[in-house]
Amino acid sequence: MPISPETLTRHELNGLPVRVADAANPDLVGIAGRVVIETMNTLHVDTGATKARRAFGDGDGDEGADGSRVRQVPKRGTTFEFALREASGDEPSSARTGADELAGDEPARTDEAAGGRKAPGSASELPSDTAGVNAGQSGGCEGAVYVTVDGERLLSRPAHRTENAGDSKWR
Amino acid sequence: MPSIAEERIDRLHALAREAAAEREFDRAREYVRLARRIAERNRCGLPREFKRFTCDACDAYLRPGANTRVRLQPGHVVIRCLDCGETARYPYE
């Protein structure tokens, strides 16, 4: 199951370009870079990764210059914006928005999950809050899909997140 | 179709290799540990290449020439992790 806006909260976050869209701590807003370490409650963002920052239309700015390149951002109370490479063919256009389209392919995903080798119980996956498809922010990032995720959805041990992505209906 | 767990392991393998190439051996070690934990929770095993290029004892990602010694003996390959001294062997034809 390739990484997509629906599977992002269950998938590997390390290595993805990320930007802090909103945070309880205003100092953290705007941090852009690459996720290098994930812990249960935080993400470590390497702001020196210029390639990842360019995905958000950020040139070589001030962040990479100072000594501390890896910033630790709490997941709770933060809204992250991940940039996904649009390599898979199931999302031909980046103009894919709205809950109806997401809801439309939910049944298909559920069937796959049932027939797959050992899909973690993903039948109840809510459509992840995919808002930002803001293509054409700057050059060189046309093939990216921007996914906005509430950090609360990521609160889990990294190895457990494939199984429980904070979308249980029992809470 | 690979499951999410298998894809996460593949991604972590690539990340560990990349981190080791940049001499970030401790970061590579974290990726290896996470991949191993995912494999054990989802009971999906690890790719053979992953097993051959990681140290069973200290979870280091092994780069021959950088933190690994590779020697051939009759019938098997000997890989020694230079971080912890663990030796692993596997057969060859």
Side-chain angles (χ1 to χ4, degrees), chain A residues 46-138:
Chain A
D46 186 356
T47 55
T50 50
K51 208 166 116 186
R53 294 176 61 199
R54 218 166 286 137
F56 292 99
D58 220 6
D60 301 306
D62 44 350
E63 294 273 10
D66 60 2
S68 64
R69 294 194 320 154
V70 178
R71 309 281 302 267
Q72 188 169 16
V73 183
K75 292 178 183 172
R76 180 166 281 134
T78 308
T79 306
F80 295 100
E81 190 180 338
F82 291 94
L84 304 183
R85 285 267 151 257
E86 195 170 12
S88 56
D90 56 350
E91 291 177 319
S93 73
S94 61
R96 164 197 168 87
T97 50
D100 51 348
E101 206 169 344
L102 288 174
D105 66 354
E106 272 306 288
R109 280 199 57 251
T110 314
D111 289 347
E112 281 167 18
R117 199 174 86 149
K118 52 183 85 71
S122 59
S124 66
E125 169 108 54
L126 299 172
S128 106
D129 7 1
T130 60
V133 181
N134 37 7
Q137 218 172 20
S138 80

Side-chain angles (χ1 to χ4, degrees), chain A residues 155-169:
Chain A
L155 281 175
S156 178
R157 288 179 195 272
H160 296 213
R161 202 157 36 69
T162 302
E163 298 138 52
N164 38 0
D167 53 4
S168 169
K169 304 224 167 164

Side-chain angles (χ1 to χ4, degrees), chain A residues 141-152:
Chain A
C141 62
E142 290 91 21
V145 180
Y146 293 90
V147 187
T148 309
V149 181
D150 186 3
E152 301 272 342

